[in-house]
Coordinates of all heavy atoms in Angstrom, one line a residue:
M1 N 43.6 2.5 -12.2 CA 42.3 2.6 -12.9 C 42.5 3.7 -13.9 O 42.7 4.8 -13.5 CB 41.2 2.9 -11.9 CG 39.8 2.9 -12.6 SD 38.4 3.1 -11.5 CE 38.2 1.4 -10.8
D2 N 42.3 3.4 -15.2 CA 42.3 4.5 -16.2 C 40.9 4.8 -16.8 O 39.9 4.3 -16.2 CB 43.3 4.0 -17.3 CG 42.7 2.7 -18.1 OD1 41.7 2.2 -17.6 OD2 43.4 2.2 -18.9
A3 N 40.9 5.7 -17.8 CA 39.8 6.2 -18.3 C 38.7 5.0 -18.9 O 37.6 5.1 -18.7 CB 39.9 7.2 -19.3
R4 N 39.4 4.1 -19.4 CA 38.6 3.0 -20.0 C 37.9 2.1 -18.8 O 36.7 1.8 -19.0 CB 39.6 2.0 -20.8 CG 38.9 0.9 -21.4 CD 39.5 0.5 -22.8 NE 38.8 -0.5 -23.3 CZ 37.8 -0.5 -24.1 NH1 37.2 0.7 -24.4 NH2 37.2 -1.5 -24.7
D5 N 38.6 1.9 -17.7 CA 38.0 1.3 -16.7 C 36.9 2.1 -16.0 O 35.7 1.5 -15.8 CB 39.1 1.0 -15.5 CG 40.1 0.0 -15.9 OD1 39.9 -0.9 -16.8 OD2 41.2 0.1 -15.4
I6 N 37.0 3.3 -16.0 CA 35.8 4.2 -15.5 C 34.8 4.1 -16.4 O 33.5 4.0 -16.0 CB 36.3 5.6 -15.3 CG1 37.4 5.7 -14.2 CG2 35.2 6.5 -15.0 CD1 38.1 6.9 -14.1
I7 N 35.0 4.2 -17.7 CA 33.8 4.1 -18.7 C 33.2 2.7 -18.6 O 31.8 2.7 -18.6 CB 34.5 4.3 -20.2 CG1 34.9 5.7 -20.3 CG2 33.4 3.9 -21.3 CD1 35.6 6.0 -21.7
E8 N 33.9 1.7 -18.5 CA 33.3 0.3 -18.3 C 32.4 0.3 -17.0 O 31.4 -0.4 -17.1 CB 34.4 -0.8 -18.3 CG 35.0 -1.0 -19.6 CD 36.2 -2.1 -19.6 OE1 36.3 -2.7 -18.5 OE2 36.8 -2.1 -20.6
L9 N 32.9 0.8 -15.9 CA 32.1 0.9 -14.7 C 30.8 1.6 -15.0 O 29.7 1.3 -14.5 CB 32.9 1.5 -13.6 CG 34.0 0.5 -12.9 CD1 34.8 1.3 -11.8 CD2 33.1 -0.5 -12.2
I10 N 30.9 2.8 -15.6 CA 29.7 3.6 -15.8 C 28.7 2.7 -16.7 O 27.6 2.8 -16.3 CB 30.1 4.8 -16.5 CG1 30.9 5.8 -15.5 CG2 28.8 5.6 -17.1 CD1 31.5 7.0 -16.2
E11 N 29.3 2.1 -17.8 CA 28.3 1.3 -18.6 C 27.7 0.2 -17.7 O 26.6 -0.2 -17.9 CB 29.1 0.8 -19.8 CG 29.5 1.8 -20.8 CD 30.3 1.3 -21.9 OE1 30.9 0.2 -21.8 OE2 30.6 2.1 -22.9
Y12 N 28.5 -0.4 -16.9 CA 28.0 -1.6 -16.1 C 26.9 -1.1 -15.1 O 25.9 -1.7 -15.1 CB 29.2 -2.2 -15.2 CG 28.8 -3.2 -14.3 CD1 28.5 -4.5 -14.7 CD2 28.7 -2.8 -12.9 CE1 28.0 -5.4 -13.7 CE2 28.2 -3.9 -11.9 CZ 27.9 -5.1 -12.4 OH 27.5 -6.1 -11.5
F13 N 27.1 0.0 -14.5 CA 26.1 0.6 -13.6 C 24.8 1.1 -14.4 O 23.6 1.0 -13.9 CB 26.6 1.7 -12.8 CG 27.4 1.1 -11.6 CD1 28.8 1.3 -11.5 CD2 26.8 0.4 -10.6 CE1 29.6 0.8 -10.5 CE2 27.6 -0.2 -9.5 CZ 29.1 0.0 -9.5
R14 N 25.0 1.6 -15.6 CA 23.9 1.9 -16.5 C 23.0 0.7 -16.8 O 21.8 0.7 -16.7 CB 24.3 2.6 -17.7 CG 24.6 4.1 -17.4 CD 24.8 4.8 -18.8 NE 25.3 6.0 -18.7 CZ 25.9 6.8 -19.5 NH1 26.3 6.3 -20.5 NH2 26.1 8.1 -19.3
K15 N 23.7 -0.4 -17.1 CA 23.0 -1.6 -17.5 C 22.2 -2.1 -16.1 O 21.1 -2.6 -16.3 CB 24.0 -2.8 -17.8 CG 24.4 -2.6 -19.2 CD 25.4 -3.6 -19.7 CE 26.1 -3.2 -21.0 NZ 27.1 -4.2 -21.3
L16 N 22.8 -2.1 -15.0 CA 22.2 -2.4 -13.8 C 20.9 -1.5 -13.5 O 19.7 -2.1 -13.2 CB 23.1 -2.3 -12.6 CG 24.1 -3.3 -12.3 CD1 25.0 -3.2 -11.2 CD2 23.5 -4.8 -12.2
Q17 N 21.0 -0.3 -13.8 CA 19.9 0.7 -13.6 C 18.8 0.2 -14.6 O 17.6 0.3 -14.2 CB 20.2 2.1 -13.8 CG 21.1 2.6 -12.6 CD 21.5 4.1 -12.9 OE1 21.7 4.5 -14.0 NE2 21.6 4.9 -11.8
N18 N 19.1 0.0 -15.8 CA 18.1 -0.4 -16.8 C 17.5 -1.7 -16.4 O 16.2 -1.9 -16.6 CB 18.7 -0.6 -18.2 CG 19.1 0.7 -18.8 OD1 18.6 1.8 -18.4 ND2 20.0 0.7 -19.7
I19 N 18.2 -2.7 -15.9 CA 17.6 -4.0 -15.5 C 16.7 -3.7 -14.3 O 15.5 -4.3 -14.3 CB 18.7 -5.0 -15.1 CG1 19.4 -5.5 -16.4 CG2 18.1 -6.2 -14.3 CD1 20.7 -6.3 -16.1
E20 N 17.1 -2.9 -13.3 CA 16.3 -2.6 -12.1 C 14.9 -1.9 -12.6 O 13.8 -2.1 -12.2 CB 17.0 -1.7 -11.2 CG 16.2 -1.4 -9.9 CD 17.1 -0.7 -8.9 OE1 18.3 -0.7 -8.9 OE2 16.4 0.0 -8.1
L21 N 15.1 -0.8 -13.6 CA 13.9 -0.2 -14.0 C 13.1 -1.2 -14.9 O 11.7 -1.1 -14.5 CB 14.3 1.0 -15.0 CG 14.8 2.1 -14.4 CD1 15.4 3.2 -15.4 CD2 13.9 2.8 -13.4
E22 N 13.5 -2.2 -15.5 CA 12.7 -3.1 -16.2 C 12.0 -3.9 -15.2 O 10.7 -4.3 -15.4 CB 13.4 -4.0 -17.2 CG 14.0 -3.3 -18.4 CD 15.0 -4.0 -19.2 OE1 15.1 -5.2 -19.0 OE2 15.5 -3.4 -20.2
F23 N 12.7 -4.3 -14.2 CA 12.0 -5.1 -13.1 C 10.8 -4.4 -12.4 O 9.8 -4.9 -12.2 CB 13.1 -5.5 -12.1 CG 12.6 -6.4 -11.0 CD1 12.2 -7.7 -11.3 CD2 12.4 -5.8 -9.7 CE1 11.7 -8.5 -10.2 CE2 11.9 -6.6 -8.6 CZ 11.6 -8.0 -8.8
Q24 N 11.2 -3.1 -12.1 CA 10.1 -2.2 -11.4 C 8.9 -2.0 -12.3 O 7.8 -2.1 -11.9 CB 10.7 -0.9 -11.1 CG 11.6 -1.0 -9.9 CD 12.3 0.4 -9.7 OE1 12.3 1.3 -10.4 NE2 13.1 0.4 -8.5
I25 N 9.2 -1.9 -13.6 CA 8.0 -1.7 -14.6 C 7.1 -2.9 -14.6 O 6.0 -2.9 -14.6 CB 8.5 -1.3 -16.0 CG1 9.2 0.0 -15.9 CG2 7.5 -1.5 -17.0 CD1 9.8 0.5 -17.3
E26 N 7.9 -4.2 -14.6 CA 7.2 -5.4 -14.6 C 6.4 -5.5 -13.2 O 5.2 -6.0 -13.4 CB 8.2 -6.6 -14.8 CG 7.4 -8.0 -15.0 CD 6.4 -8.0 -16.2 OE1 6.7 -7.4 -17.2 OE2 5.4 -8.7 -16.1
E27 N 6.9 -5.2 -12.3 CA 6.1 -5.3 -10.9 C 4.9 -4.4 -11.0 O 3.8 -4.7 -10.5 CB 7.0 -4.9 -9.8 CG 8.0 -6.0 -9.4 CD 8.8 -5.6 -8.1 OE1 9.1 -4.4 -7.9 OE2 9.1 -6.4 -7.3
L28 N 5.1 -3.1 -11.5 CA 4.0 -2.3 -11.6 C 2.9 -2.8 -12.5 O 1.7 -2.6 -12.2 CB 4.5 -0.9 -12.2 CG 3.5 0.3 -12.2 CD1 2.9 0.5 -10.9 CD2 4.2 1.5 -12.7
R29 N 3.2 -3.4 -13.6 CA 2.2 -4.0 -14.6 C 1.5 -5.0 -13.9 O 0.3 -5.2 -14.0 CB 2.9 -4.6 -15.8 CG 3.3 -3.6 -16.8 CD 4.0 -4.3 -18.0 NE 4.4 -3.3 -19.0 CZ 5.5 -3.4 -19.8 NH1 6.3 -4.4 -19.6 NH2 5.8 -2.5 -20.5
E30 N 2.1 -5.9 -13.1 CA 1.4 -7.0 -12.3 C 0.5 -6.3 -11.3 O -0.6 -6.8 -11.1 CB 2.5 -7.9 -11.6 CG 3.2 -8.7 -12.6 CD 4.4 -9.5 -11.9 OE1 4.5 -9.5 -10.7 OE2 5.2 -10.1 -12.5
Y31 N 1.0 -5.3 -10.6 CA 0.2 -4.7 -9.5 C -1.1 -4.0 -10.3 O -2.2 -4.2 -9.9 CB 0.9 -3.5 -8.8 CG 0.1 -2.8 -7.9 CD1 -0.2 -3.2 -6.7 CD2 -0.3 -1.4 -8.3 CE1 -1.0 -2.5 -5.8 CE2 -1.1 -0.7 -7.3 CZ -1.4 -1.2 -6.1 OH -2.1 -0.5 -5.3
I32 N -0.9 -3.5 -11.4 CA -2.1 -2.8 -12.1 C -3.0 -3.9 -12.6 O -4.2 -3.8 -12.4 CB -1.5 -2.0 -13.3 CG1 -0.9 -0.7 -12.8 CG2 -2.7 -1.6 -14.3 CD1 -0.1 0.1 -13.8
D33 N -2.6 -5.0 -13.1 CA -3.4 -6.2 -13.5 C -4.2 -6.6 -12.4 O -5.3 -6.9 -12.5 CB -2.5 -7.2 -14.1 CG -2.0 -6.9 -15.4 OD1 -2.6 -6.1 -16.1 OD2 -1.2 -7.7 -15.9
L34 N -3.6 -6.7 -11.1 CA -4.3 -7.3 -10.0 C -5.4 -6.3 -9.5 O -6.6 -6.6 -9.3 CB -3.4 -7.4 -8.9 CG -2.5 -8.6 -8.9 CD1 -1.5 -8.8 -7.7 CD2 -3.3 -9.9 -8.8
K35 N -5.0 -5.0 -9.6 CA -6.0 -3.9 -9.2 C -7.2 -3.8 -10.2 O -8.3 -3.7 -9.9 CB -5.4 -2.5 -9.2 CG -4.5 -2.4 -7.9 CD -5.4 -2.6 -6.7 CE -4.6 -2.6 -5.4 NZ -5.4 -3.0 -4.2
F36 N -6.8 -4.0 -11.5 CA -7.8 -4.0 -12.5 C -8.9 -5.3 -12.4 O -10.1 -5.1 -12.4 CB -7.4 -4.2 -13.9 CG -8.3 -4.1 -15.1 CD1 -8.9 -2.9 -15.4 CD2 -8.6 -5.3 -15.7 CE1 -9.9 -2.9 -16.4 CE2 -9.5 -5.3 -16.8 CZ -10.2 -4.1 -17.1
E37 N -8.3 -6.4 -12.0 CA -9.1 -7.5 -11.8 C -10.0 -7.4 -10.5 O -11.2 -7.7 -10.5 CB -8.3 -8.8 -11.5 CG -7.6 -9.4 -12.7 CD -6.7 -10.6 -12.5 OE1 -7.0 -11.3 -11.4 OE2 -5.8 -10.7 -13.2
E38 N -9.5 -6.7 -9.5 CA -10.3 -6.5 -8.3 C -11.4 -5.5 -8.7 O -12.5 -5.7 -8.3 CB -9.4 -5.9 -7.1 CG -8.4 -6.8 -6.5 CD -7.5 -6.2 -5.5 OE1 -7.7 -5.0 -5.2 OE2 -6.6 -6.8 -5.1
L39 N -11.0 -4.5 -9.4 CA -12.2 -3.4 -9.7 C -13.2 -4.1 -10.6 O -14.5 -3.8 -10.6 CB -11.5 -2.3 -10.5 CG -10.8 -1.3 -9.5 CD1 -10.0 -0.3 -10.4 CD2 -11.7 -0.7 -8.5
Y40 N -12.7 -4.9 -11.5 CA -13.7 -5.6 -12.5 C -14.6 -6.5 -11.7 O -15.9 -6.5 -11.9 CB -12.9 -6.4 -13.5 CG -13.8 -7.2 -14.4 CD1 -14.4 -6.6 -15.5 CD2 -14.1 -8.5 -14.2 CE1 -15.3 -7.3 -16.3 CE2 -15.0 -9.2 -15.1 CZ -15.5 -8.6 -16.2 OH -16.4 -9.3 -16.9
D41 N -14.0 -7.3 -10.7 CA -14.9 -8.0 -9.9 C -16.0 -7.2 -9.1 O -17.1 -7.6 -8.9 CB -14.0 -8.9 -9.0 CG -13.3 -10.1 -9.7 OD1 -13.6 -10.3 -10.8 OD2 -12.4 -10.5 -9.1
Q42 N -15.4 -6.2 -8.5 CA -16.4 -5.3 -7.7 C -17.5 -4.7 -8.7 O -18.6 -4.7 -8.3 CB -15.5 -4.2 -7.1 CG -14.7 -4.7 -6.0 CD -13.7 -3.4 -5.3 OE1 -13.9 -2.4 -5.9 NE2 -13.0 -3.8 -4.4
L43 N -17.0 -4.2 -9.7 CA -18.1 -3.7 -10.7 C -19.1 -4.8 -11.1 O -20.3 -4.5 -11.1 CB -17.4 -3.1 -12.0 CG -18.3 -2.5 -13.0 CD1 -19.1 -1.3 -12.4 CD2 -17.5 -2.1 -14.3
T44 N -18.6 -6.0 -11.5 CA -19.6 -7.1 -11.9 C -20.5 -7.5 -10.7 O -21.6 -7.6 -10.9 CB -18.7 -8.3 -12.3 OG1 -17.8 -8.0 -13.3 CG2 -19.6 -9.3 -12.7
E45 N -20.0 -7.4 -9.5 CA -20.7 -7.8 -8.4 C -21.8 -6.7 -8.2 O -23.0 -7.0 -7.9 CB -19.9 -7.9 -7.0 CG -20.6 -8.3 -5.8 CD -19.7 -8.5 -4.7 OE1 -18.6 -8.9 -4.9 OE2 -20.1 -8.1 -3.5
Y46 N -21.4 -5.5 -8.3 CA -22.3 -4.4 -8.1 C -23.4 -4.3 -9.2 O -24.6 -4.2 -8.9 CB -21.5 -3.0 -8.3 CG -22.4 -1.8 -8.2 CD1 -22.9 -1.3 -7.1 CD2 -22.8 -1.1 -9.4 CE1 -23.6 -0.1 -7.0 CE2 -23.6 0.0 -9.5 CZ -24.0 0.5 -8.1 OH -24.8 1.7 -8.2
I47 N -23.1 -4.6 -10.5 CA -24.0 -4.7 -11.5 C -25.0 -5.9 -11.3 O -26.2 -5.7 -11.4 CB -23.3 -4.8 -12.9 CG1 -22.6 -3.6 -13.2 CG2 -24.3 -5.2 -14.0 CD1 -21.6 -3.6 -14.4
D48 N -24.5 -7.0 -11.0 CA -25.3 -8.1 -10.6 C -26.3 -7.8 -9.7 O -27.5 -8.3 -9.7 CB -24.4 -9.4 -10.4 CG -23.6 -9.9 -11.5 OD1 -24.0 -9.5 -12.6 OD2 -22.7 -10.8 -11.4
L49 N -25.8 -7.2 -8.5 CA -26.7 -7.1 -7.4 C -27.7 -5.9 -7.7 O -29.0 -6.2 -7.4 CB -25.8 -6.4 -6.2 CG -26.6 -6.0 -4.9 CD1 -27.1 -7.3 -4.3 CD2 -25.7 -5.4 -3.9
N50 N -27.5 -5.0 -8.4 CA -28.4 -4.0 -8.8 C -29.3 -4.5 -10.0 O -30.5 -4.2 -9.9 CB -27.8 -2.6 -9.4 CG -27.2 -1.9 -8.2 OD1 -27.8 -1.8 -7.2 ND2 -26.0 -1.3 -8.5
Y51 N -28.8 -5.3 -10.7 CA -29.8 -5.9 -11.8 C -30.7 -7.0 -11.2 O -31.8 -6.9 -11.5 CB -28.9 -6.7 -12.9 CG -29.6 -7.3 -14.0 CD1 -30.3 -6.5 -14.9 CD2 -29.7 -8.7 -14.1 CE1 -31.0 -7.0 -15.9 CE2 -30.5 -9.2 -15.0 CZ -31.1 -8.5 -16.0 OH -31.8 -8.9 -17.0
S52 N -30.3 -7.6 -10.2 CA -31.2 -8.5 -9.6 C -32.2 -7.9 -8.8 O -33.3 -8.4 -8.4 CB -30.4 -9.6 -8.6 OG -29.8 -8.9 -7.6
N53 N -32.0 -6.6 -8.2 CA -33.0 -5.9 -7.6 C -33.8 -4.9 -8.5 O -34.4 -4.1 -7.9 CB -32.2 -5.1 -6.5 CG -31.6 -5.9 -5.4 OD1 -32.1 -7.0 -5.1 ND2 -30.5 -5.5 -4.8
S54 N -33.6 -5.1 -9.7 CA -34.3 -4.2 -10.6 C -35.1 -4.9 -11.6 O -34.8 -6.0 -12.0 CB -33.2 -3.3 -11.3 OG -33.8 -2.6 -12.2
D55 N -36.1 -4.3 -12.2 CA -36.9 -4.8 -13.2 C -36.5 -4.3 -14.6 O -37.0 -4.6 -15.6 CB -38.4 -4.4 -13.0 CG -39.1 -5.2 -11.8 OD1 -38.5 -6.2 -11.5 OD2 -40.0 -4.5 -11.2
H56 N -35.4 -3.4 -14.6 CA -35.0 -2.9 -15.8 C -33.9 -3.7 -16.5 O -33.0 -4.2 -15.9 CB -34.4 -1.4 -15.6 CG -35.4 -0.5 -15.0 ND1 -36.4 0.0 -15.6 CD2 -35.5 0.1 -13.8 CE1 -37.2 0.8 -14.8 NE2 -36.5 0.9 -13.7
P57 N -34.1 -3.9 -17.7 CA -33.0 -4.6 -18.5 C -31.8 -3.8 -18.6 O -31.7 -2.6 -18.5 CB -33.5 -4.9 -19.8 CG -34.6 -3.8 -20.0 CD -35.1 -3.4 -18.7
L58 N -30.5 -4.5 -18.7 CA -29.3 -3.7 -18.9 C -29.1 -3.0 -20.2 O -29.7 -3.3 -21.2 CB -28.1 -4.7 -18.6 CG -27.9 -4.9 -17.2 CD1 -26.7 -5.9 -17.2 CD2 -27.5 -3.8 -16.4

């Protein structure tokens, strides 16, 4: 194994790390989207419940 092989291995592992990071970022985006939807649903439910129990307009 010469220096060129070592450089190629380093580049290969860097590419793998980048792919893994991109995958983790995408998973995080999906998780955030789901949590945002859950919070939005909870907030909407809360507003609807309070609005129906109130005489005040929004």
Side-chain angles (χ1 to χ4, degrees):
M1 183 177 280
D2 61 3
R4 179 139 180 94
D5 292 333
I6 294 171
I7 291 170
E8 287 177 8
L9 277 174
I10 291 170
E11 289 174 352
Y12 174 76
F13 284 113
R14 281 188 182 157
K15 287 178 186 176
L16 283 179
Q17 285 179 330
N18 287 340
I19 291 170
E20 185 175 340
L21 285 175
E22 289 172 9
F23 180 73
Q24 290 174 350
I25 289 169
E26 186 59 34
E27 282 185 325
L28 184 58
R29 284 182 182 146
E30 291 172 9
Y31 176 78
I32 290 170
D33 286 345
L34 286 173
K35 287 299 178 186
F36 181 76
E37 287 178 28
E38 289 175 9
L39 288 172
Y40 179 82
D41 290 344
Q42 290 174 2
L43 179 61
T44 303
E45 184 178 324
Y46 176 80
I47 290 171
D48 290 345
L49 180 64
N50 285 319
Y51 180 70
S52 66
N53 292 334
S54 170
D55 293 333
H56 299 290
L58 284 178

